[in-house]
Amino acid sequence: MSFDLSAFLPYQLAVVSSRISRQFAERYKAEFGLTIPEWRVLAHLAQSDAVSVREIHARVDMDKSKVSRAAARLEAAGLIEKRENPGDRRLLDMRLTAKGRDLIARIVPIADAYQAELLAQLGPLSPGFRAGLQNLYEDP
């Protein structure tokens, strides 16, 4: 059998994804004390007016329990608030508070700088890589 795991695209993507996520997490954790699940919840809420745990779980590769625990910590820190969903009283919608929006405004430049570093590493391959990655991302 001649199978080279290190050349297997799904394996490469998983390893690189994990590495990039950890490296970025080191930056926002050092300054803001956030975990990866907390960052992902905040980032998704920054893109929407109100989002449920179920919706965040559907958008990211994260267990509902991790999303729920992250949301609970963010709520306790005053960064998000939960409200009853007007369309389905069984669901809670989450929204950023003013404090949460201020935190996101402070993290975005760090995220932008990190992304610029990654794109610089790719150099002239960056546009093709981004296009291919977007194609994989959008394909359900």
Side-chain angles (χ1 to χ4, degrees):
M1 179 173 127
S2 65
F3 179 74
D4 183 1
L5 181 62
S6 65
F8 186 54
L9 182 60
Y11 178 75
Q12 290 175 327
L13 289 171
V15 169
V16 170
S17 173
S18 180
R19 184 178 304 146
I20 288 171
S21 185
R22 275 195 321 272
Q23 288 172 350
F24 179 50
E26 289 171 7
R27 295 178 186 206
Y28 59 74
K29 183 174 185 173
E31 188 162 347
F32 306 108
L34 296 172
T35 65
I36 291 171
E38 290 166 347
W39 153 250
R40 289 183 183 172
V41 169
L42 287 172
H44 280 281
L45 292 177
Q47 299 292 305
S48 306
D49 181 41
V51 181
S52 71
V53 168
R54 182 183 301 168
E55 290 168 314
I56 291 177
H57 165 70
R59 293 180 190 174
V60 298
D61 186 24
M62 196 167 43
D63 295 334
K64 283 183 190 175
S65 61
K66 281 188 179 183
V67 175
S68 293
R69 286 192 300 272
R73 289 188 300 268
L74 294 169
E75 184 180 31
L79 298 169
I80 69 169
E81 61 184 2
K82 296 178 185 174
R83 294 184 185 165
E84 189 177 274
N85 181 304
D88 186 343
R89 297 179 65 189
R90 297 170 296 168
L91 296 177
L92 292 175
D93 286 337
M94 298 179 290
R95 293 175 171 77
L96 290 176
T97 62
K99 184 178 175 182
R101 286 189 298 277
D102 289 345
L103 179 60
I104 284 293
R106 293 171 54 208
I107 295 174
V108 166
I110 295 167
D112 287 342
Y114 185 63
Q115 177 171 271
E117 289 172 27
L118 292 173
L119 293 173
Q121 283 182 314
L122 290 169
L125 299 173
S126 175
F129 178 81
R130 295 286 307 257
L133 193 58
Q134 188 66 34
N135 188 45
L136 291 172
Y137 181 77
E138 291 175 353
D139 187 22

